[in-house]
Amino acid sequence: MRIAAALACALMASLPLSAEARVCKAWSSPVLAASIAAKPIDEASGLEASRTHRGRLYHNNDSGDDLRFFITDMAGGNLQIVNLKGPKPADIEEMSLGPCGSKTCLYLGDTGDNAGARSEVAFTILAEKKTYAQTETPLRVVRARYPDGPHNVEAFAVHPGGDLFVVTKPVDKQMTRPGPASVYRLSASQLRQTDGVQVFTKVGELDLPGLLKDLPFYGWIPTGLDISHDGKRAVLLTYMAVVELGFDLAGGVPAKLTPGENVSIFRAPPLAQQEAITLLPDDSGFLYDSEAGRKAATFPLNKVTCMAR
């Protein structure tokens, strides 16, 4: 019995922690998946690939746009504009697909705050549908605030467990001195509320300046996030890199980020102001794009796959 117990303990010790997943050992070079017309998606800031409706991409524009989103196919064609009933947002920076009860919903995050002055942010939640009308009514809008004052956020994602995670854009108003990025959570139960203002819970920090110390400061600034379908990993876009997080955010953030162990770093010549990322429907890689639409007739959508884990 003692031998069997010892063997069992040794086996358990040799297994990876349940909160961690094997990170990618080798990424492909980026390939151009599509050149998307820059009208009306002229400041692409959010991107999602549907798992329910394969071949469908969702997009949103950055600040100044109306409460709406866009649908295209994977090549950027068959454009549809979906307007939502509700007041004009301050700055929608990101979108995410995730559970909302028994449904899958699209979450639009009005979270941008370059001035660091907003008392609250908002998430507009809409059920994912096979066919959308030109104008839709959201299921609800969830208002939220941070427990320690305003934060600028361009990166958030909904976990398959239903919680929502945001990663702050840690810069001062002059955008010259970024520090570690903070990670906050809204629980699935908070996302069901329609009254009052929900309060985020801080769950940890990501020391991107330490992890990406070879890059200039804007390479440390998070601009997009997506979480895998099993929740065990995520991809975090910055202006100059993609960091694969090989751990489940629902279990917290490790005190130390170590390339090859709990993170994997993808580097390539960056796109101009790259701000949107989504995992492929099978989690084999990711797509990311650029806000270059205001300066060109099209903007690029790049694809990267993991070659080895």
Side-chain angles (χ1 to χ4, degrees), residues 176-187:
T176 56
R177 296 188 300 275
S182 296
V183 182
Y184 293 85
R185 168 174 29 203
L186 282 180
S187 70

Side-chain angles (χ1 to χ4, degrees), residues 2-82:
R2 290 180 179 178
I3 294 175
L7 288 173
C9 289
L11 177 61
M12 291 178 64
S14 69
L15 295 174
L17 295 175
S18 60
E20 294 186 351
R22 282 183 290 184
V23 296
C24 187
K25 304 299 183 185
W27 296 103
S28 73
S29 296
V31 297
L32 182 66
S35 292
I36 301 178
K39 301 296 181 185
I41 312 173
D42 59 1
E43 199 172 357
S45 185
L47 177 67
E48 278 291 289
S50 177
R51 290 190 175 95
T52 303
H53 305 287
R54 292 298 180 101
R56 176 187 288 183
L57 292 176
Y58 296 101
H59 313 259
N60 72 267
N61 277 331
D62 205 335
S63 58
D65 204 4
D66 294 324
L67 186 60
R68 62 178 182 169
F69 63 93
F70 311 93
I71 301 173
T72 69
D73 58 29
M74 298 296 282
N78 295 315
L79 172 72
Q80 181 184 1
I81 303 172
V82 181

Side-chain angles (χ1 to χ4, degrees), residues 100 114 160 169 193 202 212 222 268:
C100 55
N114 287 330
K169 185 178 180 181
Q193 307 304 313
K202 187 173 181 178
L212 303 170

Side-chain angles (χ1 to χ4, degrees), residues 137-153:
T137 301
L139 290 177
R140 57 188 172 274
V141 176
V142 177
R143 299 158 55 207
R145 65 175 178 83
Y146 301 98
D148 50 357
H151 289 282
N152 191 15
V153 168

Side-chain angles (χ1 to χ4, degrees), residues 124-232:
T124 299
I125 305 172
L126 178 79
E128 190 179 24
K129 300 167 62 174
K130 183 178 180 179
T131 303
Y132 288 98
Q134 184 176 356
T135 301
E136 294 278 354
T137 301
L139 290 177
R140 57 188 172 274
V141 176
V142 177
R143 299 158 55 207
R145 65 175 178 83
Y146 301 98
D148 50 357
H151 289 282
N152 191 15
V153 168
E154 293 191 10
F156 85 85
V158 179
H159 190 277
D163 293 352
L164 183 152
F165 292 88
V166 305
V167 180
T168 64
K169 185 178 180 181
V171 295
D172 62 357
K173 292 181 182 179
Q174 289 73 41
M175 298 180 67
T176 56
R177 296 188 300 275
S182 296
V183 182
Y184 293 85
R185 168 174 29 203
L186 282 180
S187 70
S189 62
Q190 287 177 298
L191 291 169
R192 292 192 291 268
Q193 307 304 313
T194 55
D195 295 330
V197 181
Q198 306 304 307
V199 180
F200 285 96
T201 299
K202 187 173 181 178
V203 297
E205 292 187 341
L206 297 168
D207 184 12
L208 298 177
L211 182 67
L212 303 170
K213 61 183 68 175
D214 59 313
L215 297 178
F217 79 90
Y218 45 87
W220 311 333
I221 298 173
T223 60
L225 179 70
D226 201 15
I227 299 174
S228 63
H229 76 281
D230 61 4
K232 293 182 179 180

